[in-house]
Amino acid sequence: MPSGIFKKKSSSTLPADASSYLLALSQADARTRNKVSSSATSTISTPALSLSSSLTASTKDTFLTQADKDDIENIHGLSLPAKPPTSDQIYRAVHTEFGHCSTEEFRRFSSHLPNTPVPKHVDRDPPYYVLLSTYISYLILIVLGHVRDFLGKRFYPKSYADLMPSNGYAPLTSDFDSFYTRRLKLRMNECFNQPVTGVAGRTIQILDRYSPDYNHTQISLGTISRALNISSYNYLGFAQAQGGVADAVEVGMKLYGVTTCGSRLTGGSSDLHTATETLVAKFLGTEDSLITSMGFATNSTIIPALVSKGCLVISDELNHASIRFGVRQSGAHVKMFKHNDTNALEALLRETISQGQPKTHRPWKKILVIVEGLFSMEGTMVDLPRVLELKKKYKFNLFVDEAHSIGGIGKHGRGIADYFNIDPEEIDVLMGTFSKSFGAAGGYIGGKKCLIDRLRIRSYSGVYAEAMSPPVMVQIIASMASIMGVQESELNHSVSSGGSTLRLASPDSAYYGPITQRFLPTWLPLPYELSSGLEGRERLRRLSFNCYYLHRGLDKLGFIVYGHPCSPVVPLLIYQPGKMIMFHRMMKDRKTPIVTVPVAYPATPLITSRIRLCVSAAHTKEDIDEILRACNEVGDVLDLKHGISKKERWTLDEVCGRAVELVNLPDHDWGN
Amino acid sequence: MASASSTFDTAVLTFAHALSTVERTFYKLPGSAIIERYVRSSHQNDPGRTFLELIIFFLVVRTVLQSRTRADRSNPKNFIEFTEKEIDELVADWVPEPLSQPLNDVEMAELAAVPVVAGPNGPHPVLVNTGKPAINLASFNFTGLAGNEHIKQRALETMRKRGVGSCGPTGFYGTFDVHLQFERDVSEFLGTEGAILYSQGFSTISSVIPAFCKRGDIIVADRAVTLSIQKGMEISRSTIRWYDHNDLHSLEEVLQSVEKERRKRKGPLTRRFIITEGIFERDGTMTDLPRLIELKQKYKYRLILDESFSFGAVGRTGRGLTELYNVQASKIDMLVGSAAIGLCAGGGFCAGSNTVVEHQRINGSAYVFSASMPPLLSVSASEGINILRDNPPLLTKLHDNIRAARVLLDQVDCISVPSHRASPIIHLYLRNTSPDSLLQPPSSIPSGKPSNPASPIPRDAPVFDIEKEERLLQEVVEEAMALGVMITKAKRVRGLEITEARPSIRLAMSSALSKADTEKAVNVVIKILKRKFR
Ligand SMILES: Cc1ncc(COP(=O)(O)O)c(C=O)c1O
């Protein structure tokens, strides 16, 4: 059903090619501009932004906005499930936050099959003309940019004032340093920093805006539209304003307020912190854990407490900025190895251990290898078994950043160690964040008690940074407990759901069982769906299904996607910079708008610009169908299908129809 | 015909010879094999690509040559060749240090004595450590916003509309309407063009500094800046010059010497920054802002001012130093404050001109690469500002409590109080372990010679016995807690800071306490001090 993919503002049929689409876009822009200038006085301060202001909030609640009307009329097809629920299906979640889906088939677990090789990531190369036109695009952009700079500085010195020395002050940014921002990023600013409201769940509400001056400023239109959200790190779908977890947060917030007033060591600790840390340690399967109020700061303030001068950090070349920030503060020597290449890691280990410290050749005090469980831009997975083998042989310490893998992968949702069924204590430092799978904020470190205690007093966070806020902690406790399941003493759990019998504590794991009531604060209300672990389990299984489905569906449609199929991060390769904006816009301008995240240089190599899709358990199969349909159509218009050969491709209907089969193909049979 | 062909032959021969010479020299160059392999494989795929890559290559070379942040290459001469077997032996012989040292008894005891509050924190929290309520002189709750019912209500409403986490970095659907609202609220409150919200107070300035200061730039900083500033400067790789703690004469001397140096070297105009704090985290002293602004304007420096401990505490409505001294906030180029400390919510902000703010939206690492703050905390912070703006009596009460505490503390002989009289944090130094003269400001030290601006250590560094003072102060803290007064030492990460701060007890004042309670609690502390150090 390709008809009407563009919203009212453009033609209802699919434009034959990109140029006609461009024309339609510019017409739409012109229309928007007229609309704004004709009602300039009233639109600038319309409801959208003042919604949040404290003075007007209560009165605004009773006022039906256009966005509410859209929701009621289901203009975008996002407020109601495709199939109305039957009488025996009771959904507690709001469909726009967490999609309703009860089909037992659309579930799976992600876990590594024992005794199978870890699948190597195969990079597919696009045809040369794609590479060529990408290079040419950048060349044109760079040359044009330099020409404009050259001419602009001479003829319009005013607009370059910020880049020139003035009045004895050197410019705040040199024109060279800001070249990329001014000449490349500015062109696609409409894709970034989009203000939103509501819950970053299955759908999100965006505050519509437009730019009258080529992206130099963005003006709010005062309207809100709802879009399907395939961009937030809401892997397990815990970003919810309604439901059991939110209810728990409400109770916690009423009790504890929003702050504990200070750093952990100087008067900002509360019993809730202790409880959260105990629970997180239990969740991870480590002896102890500590939490901090920001994920970025977990890396940047704790790595310096682990290594110092005379130590070596060996870091994957694609590690997150926070890790680099922390390593740079630590004063340790850094070496990088090729992304996810364990052979390169071994070679580097042999070289560095044998050479010792530069100049003096003294042996290193410690070597800390830092990798990520799932890489945030690639979706690739670290080959943990092999890294642990190397660890035994080369005696280094291992730090794994599980920001994207914790909660998302493994049979019990415990991340990379769970996925490979490896004792989590084999990893010296387990780091992760709560801002992704758990819909909260902040980060944690898990490890041996003596390590954690040392970090408590030696990391900058514990001493100086504000402690985690109580509502955030309750969100973490409630969401984690719902994944783990709470054993009520007398209950011997064997609950049936949807025809299949699920055992609460799966006996195949020595590390992860349900928790007892003692791990939860006594005031914390958890409804049965959460405390039984049923809902948590559903989330894990839905996420895994969705990841495999989107990943393999896109692949079968002919796109180039990177990463492991169980990764909720699905990078869809675009290459040419111009197409990224087009892709973003075309997805957003559909009848069912979809918001996407384009990432380009410097976050990725120059050539491999991509759209990063983030799958969530909150999506239903129909949502993924819709995303595949959209990608398929836009991909045809923009010529993005450079993956498997035409013969091997499936049609959209085949992909949607055979989804279950696609998802259940074993990993090692895939792609070769 | 024949001659023509023979000339042609010689030409070809000469050419071939020249080519092979070039080739030989090329292969002698280190790393040539890699280039060769690369060119070969890419050329095989597509000759056109080689040409394009050449162009890109030259662009890259140009970029690298221009870039000031290029990393130093390690010295290949220093490389020792080993056989595989030797490497295996070296690997087998290598014994790494353990990743962390277990805590010793003192550290363990101190960690166990960290106050933990049961239930909500506030002026009279119940301590897990003692099981009893205590008067709180440790937590930051300057204007008593913690536990405010209106803020809670608004935070709750926000949670019911926007959930808890933002689930995305600011660039990618993590910018909520309420974040923008807070940014507007702060900039209006302070009177700057704009502001930017970071999701943790501590990380704010460590990220603001490297966003602006790059290699080759000059930073002039106070010798006693807090750790987050030190770390930010370290990451920036700028040239750092230090002036004596809170001594603006020393600052001017350093500014002059930097200017002299530049003239001598005839270097290009570089960015120059003065970085200091409004109220110093380390000892509660306060910067003379008007004089500082004068100096910065005279010498054409940009000012990065950390107001974490003055925003929300100083001035008639808590706008900070700018309000106290009646200075326009727009005169401070980057004004950094904490919404976690001053507003009892979370996060930090940097206020300044639009250029300054927008620059950070792309270059502030902690802003770009981190999930945005939970919307409910942002709303709490906005409400905090509204309350401060509308309730000057809150601050009057705070200032009364500070004064009351200072009156009592100033009469005690065995301690010295370095903090400014308006500072909401009051540091207490022990007097008896080191001679008095060393506590005077460095400018009045008789030796008279200025310190070396390149070194963070002042010429006549005060001497104190860190271990002993820490131990004695910890005893005071624990005794006070046993008597129902919650206080804390100013904790440090010893060994990781550029200079060591003098051990101190840090009292935090709050308008949520009555004057009588404040006096009572301070008197308990004084009594312990007097008993122990008489
Ligand atoms: C690998 C990695 N580590 C750390 C972080 C920082 O976490 P947070 O966003 O919670 O600050 C991120 C987030 O983007 C990440 O991808």
Side-chain angles (χ1 to χ4, degrees):
Chain A
M1 297 170 287
S3 70
I5 65 155
F6 295 108
K7 235 181 183 171
K8 298 145 274 177
K9 53 183 142 174
S10 57
S11 66
S12 63
T13 48
L14 191 63
D17 54 23
S19 60
S20 60
Y21 177 76
L22 272 182
L23 192 67
L25 276 185
S26 64
Q27 284 166 354
D29 274 356
R31 244 171 292 149
T32 329
R33 262 195 294 280
N34 289 339
K35 185 173 143 203
V36 170
S37 51
S38 64
S39 58
T41 43
S42 63
T43 37
I44 301 304
S45 58
T46 30
L49 287 178
S50 49
L51 251 182
S52 58
S53 99
S54 56
L55 301 170
T56 49
S58 52
T59 54
K60 278 289 175 334
D61 282 350
T62 52
F63 174 74
L64 214 55
T65 62
Q66 185 60 40
D68 297 334
K69 283 189 201 131
D70 285 356
D71 280 354
I72 292 166
E73 289 167 23
N74 200 17
I75 297 277
H76 34 57
L78 290 169
S79 1
L80 297 173
K83 283 185 235 106
T86 58
S87 55
D88 54 61
Q89 292 167 332
I90 305 156
Y91 296 106
R92 282 171 193 83
V94 180
H95 185 58
T96 49
E97 293 175 2
F98 192 87
H100 297 165
C101 169
S102 62
T103 315
E104 186 52 35
E105 267 188 315
F106 303 149
R107 308 280 191 270
R108 71 160 282 162
F109 275 116
S110 68
S111 163
H112 183 67
L113 264 186
N115 305 323
T116 56
V118 180
K120 280 271 170 293
H121 170 65
V122 266
D123 269 352
R124 286 210 171 81
D125 283 327
Y128 312 125
Y129 79 90
V130 174
L131 291 178
L132 219 78
S133 51
T134 309
Y135 280 129
I136 293 175
S137 303
Y138 278 109
L139 218 64
I140 294 175
L141 282 171
I142 290 169
V143 170
L144 261 184
H146 280 299
V147 170
R148 285 181 63 186
D149 274 5
F150 180 83
L151 296 177
K153 273 189 206 157
R154 277 152 191 82
F155 298 113
Y156 307 99
K158 245 201 210 131
S159 23
Y160 286 79
D162 283 344
L163 300 175
M164 315 262 221
S166 75
N167 192 20
Y169 287 90
L172 202 51
T173 52
S174 78
D175 56 350
F176 179 77
D177 287 343
S178 66
F179 182 82
Y180 168 77
T181 319
R182 287 179 297 118
R183 294 298 174 211
L184 303 171
K185 183 183 166 279
L186 182 70
R187 289 172 183 272
M188 46 192 303
N189 257 8
E190 70 166 69
C191 314
F192 304 124
N193 292 70
Q194 166 72 58
V196 300
T197 185
V199 176
R202 172 181 160 261
T203 66
I204 196 161
Q205 288 170 290
I206 56 180
L207 308 185
D208 301 316
R209 56 179 185 173
Y210 93 106
S211 175
D213 51 3
Y214 302 103
N215 286 340
H216 285 283
T217 50
Q218 300 278 355
I219 294 180
S220 170
L221 281 171
T223 55
I224 298 178
S225 25
R226 193 179 282 285
L228 187 57
N229 181 10
I230 184 80
S231 298
S232 291
Y233 301 136
N234 175 32
Y235 300 146
L236 288 178
F238 279 114
Q240 283 177 291
Q242 312 297 331
V245 175
D247 293 343
V249 173
E250 173 162 349
V251 174
M253 195 158 26
K254 279 187 177 149
L255 203 59
Y256 279 84
V258 293
T259 174
T260 60
C261 313
S263 73
R264 287 300 298 283
L265 293 190
T266 61
S269 279
S270 80
D271 53 348
L272 202 50
H273 288 108
T274 322
T276 312
E277 289 181 342
T278 316
L279 188 74
V280 170
K282 178 79 181 156
F283 185 87
L284 299 170
T286 54
E287 252 178 50
D288 202 353
S289 85
L290 70 85
I291 55 174
T292 62
S293 53
M294 182 192 193
F296 184 95
T298 314
N299 280 330
S300 71
T301 64
I302 279 171
I303 293 174
L306 289 170
V307 285
S308 56
K309 238 175 137 208
C311 301
L312 173 69
V313 172
I314 297 184
S315 171
D316 189 291
E317 62 179 351
L318 294 184
N319 273 348
H320 191 252
S322 57
I323 298 175
R324 277 179 261 162
F325 206 86
V327 173
R328 241 164 89 183
Q329 286 185 20
S330 71
H333 203 82
V334 206
K335 296 259 185 195
M336 309 234 241
F337 64 98
K338 186 164 170 285
H339 172 54
N340 224 359
D341 183 343
T342 42
N343 294 333
L345 171 62
E346 178 162 20
L348 186 59
L349 280 166
R350 292 179 72 82
E351 183 195 313
T352 48
I353 295 178
S354 62
Q355 294 293 324
Q357 297 187 34
K359 292 210 187 90
T360 62
H361 293 291
R362 255 184 249 155
W364 297 102
K365 287 191 199 155
K366 322 170 195 174
I367 296 182
L368 184 66
V369 172
I370 306 185
V371 292
E372 291 182 27
L374 285 174
F375 285 82
S376 52
M377 286 296 163
E378 313 289 308
T380 42
M381 188 192 282
V382 65
D383 183 352
L384 189 63
R386 171 95 173 107
V387 172
L388 286 176
E389 240 170 65
L390 292 180
K391 174 173 154 58
K392 284 216 180 68
K393 183 161 172 204
Y394 295 98
K395 297 176 276 191
F396 58 81
N397 295 113
L398 182 60
F399 181 113
V400 181
D401 181 336
E402 289 223 72
H404 294 266
S405 51
I406 192 68
I409 63 172
K411 213 164 182 176
H412 312 86
R414 314 300 163 85
I416 191 83
D418 183 17
Y419 181 84
F420 287 110
N421 210 7
I422 285 171
D423 180 355
E425 298 232 298
E426 300 238 331
I427 301 168
D428 300 285
V429 192
L430 275 170
M431 178 270 168
T433 66
F434 302 115
S435 54
K436 316 224 152 62
S437 290
F438 305 102
Y444 67 79
I445 297 279
K448 286 259 184 291
K449 181 157 188 349
C450 77
L451 170 78
I452 301 296
D453 275 347
R454 170 61 62 194
L455 292 178
R456 281 187 216 284
I457 62 169
R458 203 175 151 78
S459 77
Y460 311 156
S461 281
V463 177
Y464 290 101
E466 71 246 32
M468 192 182 270
S469 156
V472 176
M473 287 189 276
V474 182
Q475 171 88 14
I476 294 166
I477 293 178
S479 55
M480 276 193 171
S482 80
I483 299 172
M484 292 192 269
V486 188
Q487 204 159 34
E488 280 165 52
S489 41
E490 83 283 20
L491 235 64
N492 180 17
H493 268 290
S494 172
V495 223
S496 69
S497 134
S500 74
T501 305
L502 297 173
R503 282 196 56 78
L504 187 66
S506 68
D508 58 345
S509 167
Y511 319 111
Y512 317 110
I515 49 170
T516 53
Q517 200 70 45
R518 155 183 91 79
F519 280 91
L520 301 179
T522 45
W523 48 263
L524 187 86
L526 275 190
Y528 177 72
E529 317 88 75
L530 295 189
S531 63
S532 62
L534 288 177
E535 195 191 296
R537 220 174 154 78
E538 283 295 287
R539 287 176 192 258
L540 291 176
R541 296 171 68 224
R542 277 177 69 169
L543 173 64
S544 179
F545 176 88
N546 289 347
C547 294
Y548 270 88
Y549 181 33
L550 184 63
H551 210 277
R552 289 182 169 172
L554 286 173
D555 191 272
K556 274 288 176 210
L557 287 174
F559 290 98
I560 299 186
V561 278
Y562 279 178
H564 195 284
C566 77
S567 146
V569 179
V570 184
L572 168 64
L573 273 285
I574 300 280
Y575 300 101
Q576 292 96 334
K579 285 186 184 171
M580 282 198 296
I581 317 172
M582 293 286 289
F583 188 93
H584 174 87
R585 271 204 182 189
M586 291 174 82
M587 296 293 272
K588 207 173 84 179
D589 286 347
R590 293 172 63 85
K591 180 157 177 292
T592 301
I594 301 173
V595 289
T596 51
V597 169
V599 269
Y601 178 82
T604 68
L606 192 66
I607 181 97
T608 51
S609 306
R610 62 198 66 172
I611 296 285
R612 189 179 57 173
L613 306 172
C614 291
V615 184
S616 164
H619 296 127
T620 61
K621 158 135 191 319
E622 288 76 29
D623 292 333
I624 308 286
D625 287 348
E626 176 62 33
I627 290 159
L628 287 170
R629 184 176 310 122
C631 288
N632 190 39
E633 283 163 10
V634 175
D636 280 334
V637 175
L638 295 183
D639 182 29
L640 296 176
K641 297 182 175 175
H642 306 302
I644 54 175
S645 68
K646 284 222 170 64
K647 293 192 298 288
E648 296 170 81
R649 287 184 201 167
W650 290 7
T651 63
L652 180 73
D653 291 337
E654 255 181 300
V655 170
C656 296
R658 293 165 66 183
V660 176
E661 176 192 343
L662 198 61
V663 165
N664 289 323
L665 276 175
D667 285 343
H668 52 272
D669 284 354
W670 177 260
N672 308 313
Chain B
M1 197 62 189
S3 72
S5 89
S6 78
T7 14
F8 184 62
D9 274 350
T10 20
V12 168
L13 271 178
T14 333
F15 184 63
H17 181 72
L19 258 188
S20 66
T21 321
V22 169
E23 199 182 346
R24 245 178 291 130
T25 3
F26 174 72
Y27 283 120
K28 268 187 210 144
L29 293 174
S32 58
I34 303 169
I35 297 176
E36 188 220 337
R37 218 180 314 129
Y38 179 74
V39 172
R40 202 169 267 173
S41 69
S42 92
H43 197 80
Q44 213 171 30
N45 296 342
D46 191 330
R49 184 169 154 189
T50 318
F51 173 68
L52 272 166
E53 285 189 342
L54 263 180
I55 298 179
I56 300 265
F57 174 75
F58 284 117
L59 279 173
V60 167
V61 167
R62 214 186 126 224
T63 311
V64 170
L65 288 180
Q66 282 188 356
S67 165
R68 285 177 290 144
T69 51
R70 110 194 81 125
D72 297 345
R73 291 249 140 248
S74 62
N75 187 358
K77 260 188 243 151
N78 216 351
F79 193 86
I80 311 173
E81 291 292 342
F82 289 111
T83 62
E84 288 299 302
K85 194 158 154 270
E86 281 169 330
I87 294 182
D88 283 336
E89 282 168 15
L90 282 166
V91 167
D93 287 349
W94 180 56
V95 186
E97 285 179 11
L99 186 57
S100 64
Q101 298 293 336
L103 301 190
N104 63 30
D105 291 344
V106 177
E107 289 166 325
M108 207 115 70
E110 201 173 318
L111 186 60
V114 166
V116 178
V117 172
N121 203 351
H124 298 280
V126 178
L127 293 185
V128 172
N129 315 50
T130 58
K132 283 187 291 212
I135 302 178
N136 192 346
L137 291 185
S139 313
F140 301 133
N141 184 18
F142 300 148
T143 45
L145 296 174
N148 180 300
E149 284 305 324
H150 175 67
I151 293 183
K152 262 198 225 177
Q153 191 52 41
R154 292 281 298 130
L156 207 70
E157 282 165 22
T158 312
M159 192 277 287
R160 283 305 188 180
K161 280 203 188 116
R162 297 176 181 82
V164 175
S166 61
C167 284
T170 42
F172 303 137
Y173 309 100
T175 308
F176 278 68
D177 47 358
V178 292
H179 294 138
L180 299 174
Q181 183 64 42
F182 174 73
E183 289 172 355
R184 274 194 298 273
D185 287 345
V186 175
S187 56
E188 258 168 44
F189 189 56
L190 290 172
T192 58
E193 264 178 47
I196 176 171
L197 170 68
Y198 286 75
S199 53
Q200 190 190 56
F202 175 81
S203 295
T204 308
I205 198 156
S206 323
S207 181
V208 171
I209 295 173
F212 295 104
C213 313
K214 309 281 177 196
R215 180 169 293 204
D217 294 347
I218 288 168
I219 295 177
V220 177
D222 189 288
R223 284 203 160 84
V225 290
T226 184
L227 182 81
S228 53
I229 299 183
Q230 295 171 18
K231 289 298 153 185
M233 294 197 291
E234 221 172 288
I235 289 193
S236 74
R237 295 180 172 155
S238 307
T239 311
I240 305 172
R241 292 288 174 266
W242 303 90
Y243 69 92
D244 287 336
H245 175 42
N246 208 16
D247 178 353
L248 297 186
H249 293 292
S250 164
L251 171 63
E252 182 155 20
E253 279 167 18
V254 174
L255 297 181
Q256 280 167 348
S257 76
V258 170
E259 184 58 23
K260 222 183 281 164
E261 231 176 284
R262 186 176 80 85
R263 285 229 196 84
K264 207 162 32 174
R265 232 190 276 139
K266 294 205 184 68
L269 188 62
T270 53
R271 283 178 288 258
R272 292 165 301 186
F273 299 88
I274 296 174
I275 302 183
T276 184
E277 291 173 73
I279 286 182
F280 285 85
E281 182 272 329
R282 279 196 165 184
D283 59 4
T285 48
M286 190 191 283
T287 298
D288 178 0
L289 189 61
R291 174 81 184 126
L292 183 63
I293 302 245
E294 230 171 78
L295 286 177
K296 126 190 168 61
Q297 284 174 338
K298 180 171 169 200
Y299 292 92
K300 300 199 185 302
Y301 274 67
R302 291 189 171 92
L303 174 60
I304 303 182
L305 184 68
D306 186 344
E307 286 227 53
S308 292
F309 286 87
S310 44
F311 178 77
V314 171
R316 196 182 69 92
T317 55
R319 286 173 165 89
L321 248 56
T322 49
E323 189 175 31
L324 187 72
Y325 287 111
N326 205 7
V327 172
Q328 279 172 14
S330 52
K331 291 211 169 124
I332 300 166
D333 300 84
M334 296 108 195
L335 193 162
V336 178
S338 167
I341 297 171
L343 299 174
C344 290
F349 61 85
C350 172
S353 68
N354 277 333
T355 320
V356 163
V357 167
E358 292 309 316
H359 179 76
Q360 289 174 63
R361 295 200 197 274
I362 300 149
N363 296 287
S365 308
Y367 179 83
V368 174
F369 295 107
S370 175
S372 58
M373 193 159 83
L376 68 93
L377 289 179
S378 171
V379 168
S380 305
S382 285
E383 288 304 327
I385 289 183
N386 289 341
I387 292 175
L388 289 186
R389 188 195 283 124
D390 302 340
N391 294 292
L394 276 183
L395 282 137
T396 319
K397 191 157 174 223
L398 170 67
H399 299 157
D400 285 349
N401 283 347
I402 297 172
R403 211 168 306 125
R406 285 304 294 263
V407 166
L408 294 173
L409 289 167
D410 285 348
Q411 297 167 358
V412 185
D413 295 332
C414 58
I415 52 165
S416 65
V417 184
S419 308
H420 189 272
R421 298 195 156 272
S423 164
I425 48 169
I426 304 176
H427 285 257
L428 313 179
Y429 289 158
L430 283 182
R431 215 188 258 274
N432 64 347
T433 60
S434 52
D436 275 359
S437 63
L438 297 179
L439 296 169
Q440 306 290 311
S443 57
S444 61
I445 286 172
S447 78
K449 282 205 197 127
S451 319
N452 172 13
S455 155
I457 312 216
R459 170 171 290 274
D460 299 290
V463 245
F464 40 82
D465 184 343
I466 292 180
E467 218 169 287
K468 182 173 163 213
E469 292 194 15
E470 292 274 15
R471 197 188 65 238
L472 292 172
L473 291 173
Q474 184 61 27
E475 285 170 17
V476 176
V477 167
E478 285 174 32
E479 282 181 39
M481 280 223 278
L483 293 175
V485 177
M486 173 175 164
I487 56 172
T488 179
K489 278 189 313 182
K491 303 266 176 166
R492 307 285 164 205
V493 277
R494 298 279 172 203
L496 296 179
E497 310 202 9
I498 290 182
T499 54
E500 294 297 356
R502 175 151 194 189
S504 63
I505 284 177
R506 185 184 67 203
L507 307 179
M509 296 294 120
S510 167
S511 67
L513 283 172
S514 65
K515 191 170 163 205
D517 275 342
T518 307
E519 285 176 339
K520 187 173 135 200
V522 171
N523 273 327
V524 169
V525 178
I526 290 176
K527 214 187 223 162
I528 299 169
L529 284 167
K530 279 191 174 158
R531 181 160 43 73
K532 286 183 82 80
F533 305 111
R534 179 54 22 118

